Amino acid sequence: MPSLLSHPAIPLALGLGLGRGLIPPRMLVAGILFSVLPDLDLLFGYVGWAETGIFAHRGFTHAMIVAWAVAVFFAGFARYLHGSIVTAFWLLFLSMGSHGVLDAMTNGGAAVALAWPFSQERLFFSFRPIEAIPQDFSLLLSEKGLEVMASELLWVWLPVLVAALLLRLLVRPGSRRRLAGGGTAS
Ligand SMILES: [Zn+2]
């Protein structure tokens, strides 16, 4: 996986690009949590559920349909996230769904069950520039850690920052207010 610090880049970019009127702080925090949620499957290993199959790391919790279903469910609580159902759905879906996509762009670790349950096949994209973090976390304190960090800055943080700035330029404040249901367009 990219490190747990890099998955939140997606919701943070959406928050930065769309502004707090559309993505209020509470919704942004939810997006950050949802962006790392798929890796809870690491716990399955601790309780000995499965070494292989859909419960193994990067299994069903990384599937796009699961991100969709979880986002549909929690968008129902949009009021508690201080935003609209539509923005809550998209933020949560993109935050959680992007996790598997980023994992499938890493150059190591297990392949990803992105298309489960429609396909049991685990996938990697052919374009895999993101340095996978080593199994032995202590290596992160060595030169390998710097390599991983540099790779994530280049292939995750830089592109999403550019995308956020473009969103900021393209979505005018009036549109943002209208989308948020908070007023008329300027
Ligand atoms: Zn993952």
Side-chain angles (χ1 to χ4, degrees), residues 12-121:
L12 285 171
L14 288 166
L16 179 67
L18 295 171
R20 54 189 299 151
L22 201 52
I23 312 284
R26 197 182 283 198
M27 193 184 287
L28 183 59
V29 170
I32 290 169
L33 291 175
F34 276 63
S35 74
V36 294
L37 203 59
D39 279 346
L40 279 182
D41 64 1
L42 289 166
L43 297 178
F44 299 153
Y46 289 115
V47 295
W49 276 17
E51 291 294 313
T52 56
I54 57 165
F55 286 104
H57 186 43
R58 291 182 170 176
F60 82 99
T61 59
H62 288 60
M64 295 305 283
I65 191 83
V66 172
W68 175 84
V70 168
V72 165
F73 179 79
F74 283 97
F77 298 92
R79 185 164 24 130
Y80 300 102
L81 301 177
H82 299 161
S84 74
I85 285 185
V86 174
T87 50
F89 166 76
W90 281 108
L91 182 81
L92 299 178
F93 174 63
L94 292 173
S95 299
M96 193 167 166
S98 62
H99 183 114
V101 172
L102 287 176
D103 278 358
M105 291 171 66
T106 58
N107 64 3
V112 188
L114 273 178
W116 180 87
F118 308 106
S119 165
Q120 301 297 323
E121 192 185 354

Side-chain angles (χ1 to χ4, degrees), residues 136-157:
D136 179 358
F137 289 158
S138 66
L139 287 176
L140 285 174
L141 300 174
S142 67
E143 202 176 303
K144 179 72 181 168
L146 289 177
E147 229 174 85
V148 169
M149 209 186 299
S151 156
E152 293 186 1
L153 284 174
L154 180 63
W155 294 109
V156 181
W157 287 94

